[in-house]
Structure formats: structure tokens, C-alpha cells
Amino acid sequence: MAAEVFVLIGPPGAGKGTQAQMLSDGRGWTHLSSGDLLRAASDPQVLATMQQGELVDSATVESAVGRAIAAVPDDQPIVLDGFPREMGEAEWLDEALVKYGRSVTKVIKLTVDQDEVWNRLQERGRADDTPGSLSERWKEFEDQSLPVAEHYAELGLLTEIDGEGSPDDVAERIAEALA
Ligand code: AMP
């Protein structure tokens, strides 16, 4: 049987990257972050879109994520962070995974309060973490990503986790949900 695929969904600053990395460090899963893959590709137009807090076009993200998934051995669990972020990407993922005999195993949605996120993002200090970009990305999340969470809820795969508190507290809640 092919290995699991876990998806982390949440608004900007919810801690998806931190938690995905903790799952990777703790369990040896492969962490694939669509944002990191796009930043690493260093296409000036893509980076400008990211800076504005807008979504990068799905074909570009799907091709980066598709290549990354293809490079993971079949028996290696994957944790996806930041992908899928809109319904078209979710449909693409469901189909793309079939090639590898995989399917989405579980989706964790991290919930956080917008004020808490703003404090976190100021500490992170990433170039695309400006007030304008944050409110744009928050809106994108509500408009585009909540339907993705709904899609996985209908499939019985979604668990909502409180993302407030320390990274260790949140990691513990996720571990309980995955037990
Ligand atoms: P992140 O590192 O997940 O916060 O993503 C940073 C930025 O990369 C986002 O604000 C988007 O511009 C872009 N991005 C990352 N993942 C996706 C995705 N799945 N679909 C479209 N754009 C994305």
C-alpha cells in the first residue's frame, strides 16, 4: 500500500510551516511547502505575485508540486503545507495522486485569530508579510481555501485543530488527531 499524504490548511501565519516541519523532524515525513517551492524557483513574476499576497496561478504551483511529489519514494509519507489552496488545485491533487497509488489520508485545518496571526508574522519578518499582503492573503484564504476544507470535510478527512498557543501545544493536538 502506498504511503500517506497529509494536508495542512490554515490562514497565513496559522503555523502550517512550523507544524509540517515538526512532523517531518519527528516522524521522518517529507515536508513539501508550495510557498518554499515557489520561492526556490525564483521566477521574478511569481515572486512579485507572492509579494502582493495574491495566489500564484495554479498551473505554475501544480507543476512545482507535481515534480516534488514525483521525486518522493512511494513508501514515504508526505505532508503538504500550503497546497491545495483552492478547489481547482484540490481536484488536480486528487487526480495527480492516483498516478502514485496515493490519496489524501487526512487534512488538518489550523484555526487562529487574525490578531494573533499579525503578532506572529511580525516576528517571522518574511518579505511578503506586509499588512496589505496579510489582509489580501486572509481574504484569499476565506474565499478560496475554505471551500477546499469543506471538500475534505465532505470526504470525512478533515480535522480542525486550535492553532493558538506554543508550537509544542499545537503539535500535541495534531499528534492526538493523528493517533
Ligand atoms: P506560503 O509560504 O504558504 O505562505 O505561500 C506564500 C505565497 O506563495 C502565497 O501568498 C501565494 O502567493 C503563493 N502560494 C503558495 N502556495 C500556493 C498555492 N497552493 N496556490 C497559489 N499560490 C500559492
Side-chain angles (χ1 to χ4, degrees), residues 34-35 38-39 50 54 56 61 82-83 85 89 126 137:
S34 49
L38 293 170
R39 273 184 285 275
M50 292 169 76
E54 287 167 18
V56 172
V61 191
F83 187 93
R85 242 180 175 89
E89 292 177 357
R126 214 171 67 191
R137 282 185 287 153

Side-chain angles (χ1 to χ4, degrees), residues 5-50:
V5 178
F6 298 91
V7 174
L8 288 178
I9 291 186
K16 301 183 294 290
T18 303
Q19 293 303 323
Q21 195 52 46
M22 287 171 90
L23 288 167
S24 168
D25 293 343
R27 302 180 185 226
W29 296 350
T30 296
H31 171 195
L32 296 182
S33 152
S34 49
D36 285 352
L37 290 168
L38 293 170
R39 273 184 285 275
S42 311
D43 176 309
Q45 215 175 334
V46 168
L47 293 177
T49 305
M50 292 169 76

Side-chain angles (χ1 to χ4, degrees), residues 42-179:
S42 311
D43 176 309
Q45 215 175 334
V46 168
L47 293 177
T49 305
M50 292 169 76
Q51 185 95 30
Q52 285 156 14
E54 287 167 18
L55 292 183
V56 172
D57 72 280
S58 294
T60 301
V61 191
E62 286 160 7
S63 120
V65 171
R67 262 181 280 127
I69 292 176
V72 180
D74 285 351
D75 59 354
Q76 172 66 17
I78 294 173
V79 52
L80 286 175
D81 144 27
F83 187 93
R85 242 180 175 89
E86 48 102 344
M87 268 316 289
E89 292 177 357
E91 281 158 12
W92 175 88
L93 179 66
D94 290 345
E95 257 182 59
L97 288 176
V98 173
K99 277 200 292 265
Y100 308 106
R102 296 184 189 250
S103 60
V104 172
T105 314
K106 201 168 197 49
V107 178
I108 302 276
K109 179 177 156 207
L110 291 174
T111 56
V112 276
D113 173 272
Q114 202 171 358
D115 291 337
E116 163 81 16
V117 160
W118 181 235
N119 294 333
R120 287 185 187 180
L121 292 189
Q122 280 178 315
E123 282 166 31
R124 181 164 82 176
R126 214 171 67 191
D128 58 340
D129 287 338
T130 61
S133 150
L134 173 64
S135 56
E136 181 66 34
R137 282 185 287 153
W138 194 279
K139 196 174 164 316
E140 295 280 10
F141 174 74
E142 290 185 334
D143 294 350
Q144 316 263 16
S145 305
L146 287 182
V148 174
E150 190 50 40
H151 164 71
Y152 289 117
E154 280 165 14
L155 295 174
L157 299 176
L158 186 79
T159 305
E160 278 198 37
I161 301 273
D162 178 6
E164 310 268 338
S166 72
D168 283 339
D169 290 341
V170 179
E172 209 167 299
R173 290 176 208 138
I174 292 179
E176 276 166 28
L178 295 177

